[in-house]
Every structure is written in C-alpha cells, then in structure tokens.
Amino acid sequence: MAASIGMMPLKASGIPRFATAHPDFDGRGILIAILDSGIDPSIPGLQLTSNGQPKILDLRDFSGEGRIPLQALARHGDTLIINGHPLLGAGRVAAMADGGTVWGGILDELRLGEAPAADINGNGTVGDSLPLVVVHGGSGWLVFADANGNGSFADDRPVRDFGVAREAFGWTSTNLAPPVSAVANLGDSAGVPGLDLFFDTSSHGSHVAGIAAAHDLYGIKGFDGVAPGARLLGLKIANDAQGAVTVSGSMRRALSYAIAFARERSLPLVVNLSFGVGNEVEGRAAIDAQFDSILAANPDVVMMVAAGNDGPGLSTVGFPGSASRVLAIGATDPGNFEGFEPREPGSDPVADFSSRGGEIAAPDLVVPGIAYSSVPNFAIGGEQESGTSMATPYASGLAARLLSSLPAGRRPINATTIAQALRNSAKLPPAATVADAGAGTPDLTRAWEWLVQSRELPQLAIEVGALHARGAVWLTAGTAAEAAGHELTARVIVRRHDGSGPLLLQLTPSAPWVNVPPTLDLQNGRGEFTVRVDAGAAKPGVQVAVVEIGVRGSSYGVLSRVPVVLRVPLPAIARVVSQPVRVAAGGVARVLIPADTGRGMQIEVETLQGDAQVTAALHEPGGMPFRDGASIPAGSGDGAALFDLSASDMEAGLYEVAVTSGRLAPSAATVTVRRAPVRLEATRSGDSLRVAARSLIGSTVTLKLRAGLVGAEQPIAVRRTSTAPVRVAVVVPRWATRVQVDAQMPRAEWDRFTDFGLTFQDRNGRKLASAPINYAFARAAPELPSRLAGDTLVLLLAPAFAVADSSPWQLDLKVRFYAEQVIGLDEGGRPAQSLAAGRLLEQRFHTGPLPLEMPAGFAPVILVLAQEGEDTIWTREIALHGGSPK
C-alpha cells in the first residue's frame, strides 16, 4: 500500500522519469555516509544494492552510548561470572579462544532510556543486565552474547567486528526477531580489547538511511529509496539515552572517518547529517567553521545538512546547516499523504515546519520532508516520519544519482558542480520565496542535463556585514509611516574562492523596490556593490526579493543568490492594533510585533471566512519558536487562535506571527495585538504580600488585582569546565503535580556547542523524558509521575561541544514545581480600582504562613493577576527569592 500510493515520494523530483531513461544511474558506485543515531543492519531493504552488492559497508560508533567496560574474568569450571552474573558455556568460549584472557562486561538496559527501544531483549522490562564476553580467536577479537537469555554461551555464535565480517546479533528469548540488532566495534590497546556496540535505539538513523538508499524496502520489489544503488556507511554520533543528542567532537570525528573511509576505497562520497540546533547569532558557530575547513580541503565531498524544523518563522535555519560549504535542505509537504496525485517537481508547498532563512542565505533546496521508510523491529508502526531530517537524505540520494551518472574518469568532481546542477534545475514551490525555499525543488533530469555539459564553476562567497559567507540583506524599516521616503542600503562583498582571476558578474534583482548595479567586475578575486531598497514602498509585514548573481555571457546559470528581506513592524506604542493579511495557497504571511520585557501581550489570529482555517505560528525575537508552543490552528469566532504571553516570559524585540494557508486555496485573516496596560509586581515581607500594577499607557484603566500561590522554584547555577554529563538532583515537593524547567546560558556561549541534552530521570537512573536544548534558552515541562512526589528528580545535562576543551561553560536552571491548583492569598481580592496614566496601584494582603511546604533552596512562586474589564486578564508569575521578584 505504502509503495503503491507513493509514500516514498520520488515523483516530486522526477526520479521515476530519470530512472526509466537512465536505469544504471541509481547511485551505484557511490557511498552515502549517514551521520545519525545509527542504522539497524537487519532491516529488509538495507541488505543489498540494486546491483546485488552488500548495502552497508561499515557501521561505527562515535557516541560512546554502546561502550561496554570490560574486565578480565576467572573461569570456574564451565562457569564465568560477569559482574555477579554466573553464565555457563565457559568451555566453549575457551575453545574458540587462542588461550588468552577472557574478558567480560554488561550492557545495562536501564541506561539506554525508555521502552520499547531500551527493552533490548524484548521481554517487556527495561532494567535487564545483558552479559557479553570477548576473547581473541586467532584471526581477531570475538564477542559472545547470551542472545536467547538461557544463561549459557554454549549455544551462541561468536560475532566479529562488523568491518571484518558484517555480522550482527540481537537478544530475544522467543521465536520473534530481536527488537534491536547490534554489531560489534572491536579495538585493541596493547592486547586489551575494547568493545563498542553499535545499534539504533532511536530509529531516526534507520529511517534516514532508507530514504537515501533503500532497495526493495520490506521485501517489496521496486519499493526503493532515492538512490537504491548507493552503498551506506553508518556512523553513530548521537547518544539516544541522553536525549538523542550528539557528544563532543562526534560530528567532526565521524566526518573525518567518512572521508578517509571513502578515500581508501576510491568511492565518491555524499555525507548526510540530519541534525542541527538553532542559531543565536548567525555565522559564528564553531561547528560551521570546522565543517567549512574540512570540506575546503576535500572539495569533492558533497554534504547535505538539515535546515531545521523551527519554521515557518524567518531566521530559523540552524547550525551546522548554516555552514557555507554544505547544502542546507528544507522540506516540502508532498501531496501523496493527503490523497493528491503527484505532479511535476516544484508543485508541493514548503512544509510549515521547515526552517526559513532571512539573516542568512538558506536553505539551498527543498525536497519532500515526509516519507514511509525503514525502522528497526521495535519501531514497527512508526514507518512514516516527517521533518527536514527526512528531506536531507532525499537530497543526498539525488546527489548520489548524479554522481553515479559520471564516468569514472570524471571523478572526483567538485561538490560545487553537483550543488549547482541541483540548484539550476530547481523550481520554487507555490507562493514560496528564496527565504522559504532557496532555489526550490530540483528536477533530477534537468540537473543531469546541466551536469553533463562539463564545466568548471567559479566559487563565490557572499559577505554582508559580519557574515563572511551565506550573506543576506536583512533590513528593518521601522513602521510603514516611518519608512515613507526612506532608502535603506546594505553593502555586499563578493569573494572568489577558486582563484583571483578577473570575472564580470551580472546582478539581477527580482523586485522593482531593490536596486543594484547591473554588473560587478571582480578584480583580484574580490568586488563589492550596494543594495538599495525603497523603504517608502514597504507595507507592514515582510517583503522578500533576491539578487541573482551569474557570470555575464556564460551558461553557468545562477551562481549565488542574495536574499533581500525587508521587515516593517506594527506600531510599538498602540495598545491594540490589528493587521489584515492575505495568504496565498501554500504560502505564508508575516506580522512583526515590537515587545518590551515584562509587559504581557495577547495575539489573536482569526480568519475572515467562517469555514476557513489557517495555521498561526509565533516566533520570539531572533527566530526561536514560542516557548509555550509555537503553532496553533486558527479559524473564525471561537475558533480563533490566541497566544497569551505572560509578562514573566516577555523578551524585548520583534515577535513574528506567521500565518500559513493550505495547499488548495488562499486565505485571509486578521492578526490583532493587545498589549498589557500595566507592569505587574510582587514582593513579600514577613506575612505581608505586596502586589502592584504600574501604568504603561497614557489613559486611565480600571483593574482588579489578585494574587495566589502556584508553586515553588529552585534556581540552580551550573558552572563546569568538563564536557562530561552533569547530574543535578532536585527534591520534589510532596504537593507537586507538574514541573517546568527553564534553562538559560549566555547567547555568546551557544555557538561553542553542537547539541545540549536535558534528560529527566528518577533516582535510579530510569529515563522519564528528554528535551534537547536547541537554543541558548529552552523550556521543558515533562509529565511528572505521581510516584516522584516527595522523592528526587534527576536532571542529566549532556553538553556536546564542537571542540572539546577546558573552557568554562555555564547554564542557569529554574526548576519550578506547581501545585494542583492556585491557592488564593488575597482574601478574594479587593474591588476594581481606577489607575491613572503613569501611576502605581498598590495593594497589600496578610498571608500568614504559606500553605505549601517549601523545601530547602526553594522560593514561593506567586501568580499576580490583573483583570481588565470582564474578559481580559493579564498575568505574571514571580518567584520571591529573599522577598524580591526573579
């Protein structure tokens, strides 16, 4: 069924048409390295290539998740005792060895996370200890596992390193296939073995691998990934038990391994990285610089990186997708999954979740971001996944097909040429701009036709401001009234990477409000020009254009695209303001809202047609999705979407509301912004609680102030120089029913990381939930099991650095526990009172001892509420540390 209805949406880039014309150009002879959570080697469809070769060449672990500490074992007759576990079969193990030491270790399910993935042996319990022994067998190290759980190694086969024999194994006590298949990575240090088990307990990497290169998926003939002839190299960089995040240096080490592996075998290499986190300051990430350096030294390596799933807001492409020498891949929403027949390439809209550019020129391409693909046995039923993680291997498969079309004498080809072939064949999706989709969705046949013309391309880097590559023009015009008659400018520097020879470039703007000179003469590999924008023509919202750069008089096509984004916010001083928006089918309209720290705000999105529905998304200043949930369906009347921003969460800057429409019809909506008339305060002295409202407007307002106790907060300052995970134990109050953790680090430090895991455990190390930190600020609110009331909650912090060093890092945590309901502290409140412009309304209440027990280190959290009229309520949560708000 999945194959017949196109749930591997190959038609979106014209792959079936290309495959019919060129059946051998299916990726054969090409290696795709999957840097991810692992690949399960037992999956049907990942066994052989289309021409009968072994599909997976090697599987290597760079995460440390499967590392098994080994110790020398003593033999007691036919028994070996491993960490207190007696197992029979010592005689058989010894017979396979060359007389040396027998080594043993334990795989603990408990440290692998949650069921079903962590239930490695499939017995319904997470918590088993699975013994293994390692011996030297003459030709190399061997691993024995008690695979059937019968307490003996006598009936278990020895397993060699995967790179030697491509052997896999798994644990199961039934006739069913193991839930997870593992392979051994075996090393030797002065005669002492090292053992890492490679497995995929996330299913993410296995799913990605199937999209890139599956052949006859699940045994269905012709149900293929994008490049069924390609071979795979699985490199595990993520520790699934620590929130599915990478570990320090794993990205860089895996990329270097992949390049060396391909070089030794003379295989053209495509690298797939379906990972990334949000940029705080674009262009400064350490991992971006590392990747650019490695790829500059290996110009034939094609690398695809996920743009991120933080759309549809602008400036949401994450790193390392922002590196200049990778292709950042965004996602389209293929119609197959909504019952639409696939059409020509470029007909599917950009997916809502797909990250957008703005401050940088990204993404480069967009391809289908939903697919039905391969998963390990434990994840059967979850074969359909979505995200730019799924789009990236699709693009990797396209690159592999193009590389396989080139005669061996043409290899290695510069990766820039492959990228250019894909870009120049691409078409923008409906209603998309260059900030949404880059060049658009490629057409594989057109890409191949461009590629076979054999040309060497000039390689250009675009610099705008502090961005030395991927430069984009990012302008804010003030309000429409302020912009009238003004011209905004930006200087663009063009540098040539491949030499310093003269080059005459042609500059072509896509919109009349963007003015540039017609040509740019590069001398000594450098030139610059000025982009001039007529801000007087701007309307509230966002306008996007592009300056295309090509070589005058050549057939190269467009070498670079410089996005030009003009932002015009709503007035900052109006208490209530509405902005109508019209959204093209499959498109997005944007409204920018100035905000102040500590001042609450409500944003409502309502469609103009009664039966219409759009999706409203909210993004904080800088692009981060709104911390309490970024996306809401919006209709009319009672179905309107409402974002209620508490004063305690407000950040100064421009919030962005992005309104997206379905693929079939345009929509119209109104975005209404209401700003709080007051800033709320609270302090406590002894048994007296003071609450206050300070006027922020120029007119009188009538308010009723209320105050209640909602819970308690413990601030925790983490300061470390080590890259090792940090365990933070927190006492759970007996009255707590839910928990919220806010994590904040200095924005300037964020660029040092590649990931940061936040995992919740009980005191025994059992995983409860995980919430990776994707920006310098993150909020997590996992379910709090009732059994933890009065017990301990453990926060496992797992930093992953681009380069492991001893520089200090810091993370400030606010751990808040909430009671089941608000406990009033105001004796029912006082009657509503008038507050004049610029004045302070102050009320005091006698609270007596607080009704909730505060564990040591905790402060009470007070909810202050101001009711304006009958329906409008403004709130602020305040933690009273030492009597002062925090």
Side-chain angles (χ1 to χ4, degrees), residues 595-600 646-653 655 679 696 876:
D596 299 321
T597 302
R599 185 181 188 183
S646 172
S648 48
D649 286 336
M650 293 300 299
E651 301 283 345
Y655 283 74
R679 182 171 281 111
L696 299 173
R876 184 182 181 188

Side-chain angles (χ1 to χ4, degrees), residues 723-737:
T723 62
V726 178
R727 289 170 59 88
V728 177
V730 183
V731 174
V732 181
R734 296 184 184 280
W735 44 260
T737 60

Side-chain angles (χ1 to χ4, degrees), residues 790-850:
D791 203 337
T792 300
L793 177 67
V794 176
L795 311 182
L796 180 65
L797 307 174
F801 290 85
V803 180
D805 60 33
S806 58
S807 300
W809 60 271
Q810 65 184 72
L811 186 70
D812 291 307
L813 302 174
K814 291 182 179 179
V815 183
R816 285 191 177 182
F817 291 100
Y818 289 88
E820 186 172 8
Q821 58 189 1
V822 179
I823 302 172
L825 299 177
D826 57 9
E827 303 168 341
R830 309 276 169 76
Q833 294 180 249
S834 294
L835 175 61
R839 302 302 295 272
L840 179 70
L841 173 61
E842 198 172 32
Q843 295 178 358
R844 295 182 182 273
F845 305 100
H846 178 76
T847 63
L850 292 178

Side-chain angles (χ1 to χ4, degrees), residues 110 172 231 261 268 286 337 386 392 424 472 512 602 678 743 839 854 880-881:
L110 195 61
T172 180
R231 307 183 81 174
F261 186 94
F337 297 87
S386 63
T392 306
N424 279 333
Q602 295 176 347
V678 293
R839 302 302 295 272
M854 297 289 137
L880 299 180
H881 294 278

